[in-house]
Amino acid sequence: MVSFLDEILLCLSYLAVAFISLNCLNIYVSFVGTEARSFAYGLFIINGIYGIGGAISAVTSGLDHVQVIFYAAEISLVLPFLTTEMWIQKNLFPKQQELVYVPCLLGVLPFFSFIMLGVIRIDLVELCLVYCCVCTAYVGYSTRDYLVVAGSLLFYLAYCMHFRGKVKISNVLLIFFTLCSLGSICPNCVDETRKKSDFPFKELGF
């Protein structure tokens, strides 16, 4: 009974990640439209796919190998996408534009290492995550955008919790990371959407 209840809670935590991510994607696209960038798209889409895949794998063992691929993409690419998106938006290095893509290049290394070797290189993942946390901290300090700092720290904590086997806690942290990411990437759309019924957790007063 306990095991069954644990599986249900795990499935619900994954579904919550998917729901919030896809909802945030819809909000972002609705307000930004043709000005939307692929990095923000990628962040929300990968989060959503990770949540859907996790919910399915939580109730059946047939797709566990697929969920591992989604997890590798999640920890390798999502935070670099946020970091690159914020560097582009804030235009902190106008004379060295190529630097904004360094986080994504670092994220591609562990993901393709997994695709080629079948092993998640924790050292490469942590190098990428620490680099992105430092970059977002600089962005937050320079532009007084503390949501992006909170988001990067939440993502790193989520990674640590997942690594320790506390997947449900990790998923809850990913939910708050996604909301922080939306608030940082598109603050105007959050202010407007908060007044409407489709904003995540509006019924809780956010």
Side-chain angles (χ1 to χ4, degrees), residues 131-143 145-146 148-149 152:
Y131 178 80
C132 288
C133 286
V134 172
C135 291
T136 52
Y138 177 72
V139 171
Y141 174 78
S142 302
T143 64
D145 182 0
Y146 300 116
V148 70
V149 180
S152 63

Side-chain angles (χ1 to χ4, degrees), residues 33-46:
T34 57
E35 297 180 4
R37 273 189 288 268
S38 57
F39 297 109
Y41 270 118
L43 187 158
F44 297 125
I45 290 173
I46 292 175

Side-chain angles (χ1 to χ4, degrees), residues 71-84 87 99-113 120-137 152-153 155-156 159 177:
Y71 175 65
E74 174 78 13
I75 62 174
S76 300
L77 300 174
V78 168
L79 190 57
F81 280 175
L82 174 63
T83 306
T84 298
W87 275 25
L99 290 178
V100 302
Y101 301 107
V102 172
C104 287
L105 292 175
L106 287 177
V108 165
L109 289 177
F111 182 67
F112 276 99
S113 173
I120 298 178
R121 290 284 304 274
I122 299 300
D123 55 342
L124 295 178
V125 170
E126 293 186 350
L127 171 65
C128 176
L129 294 183
V130 170
Y131 178 80
C132 288
C133 286
V134 172
C135 291
T136 52
S152 63
L153 292 177
F155 190 89
Y156 190 81
Y159 161 76
F177 158 77

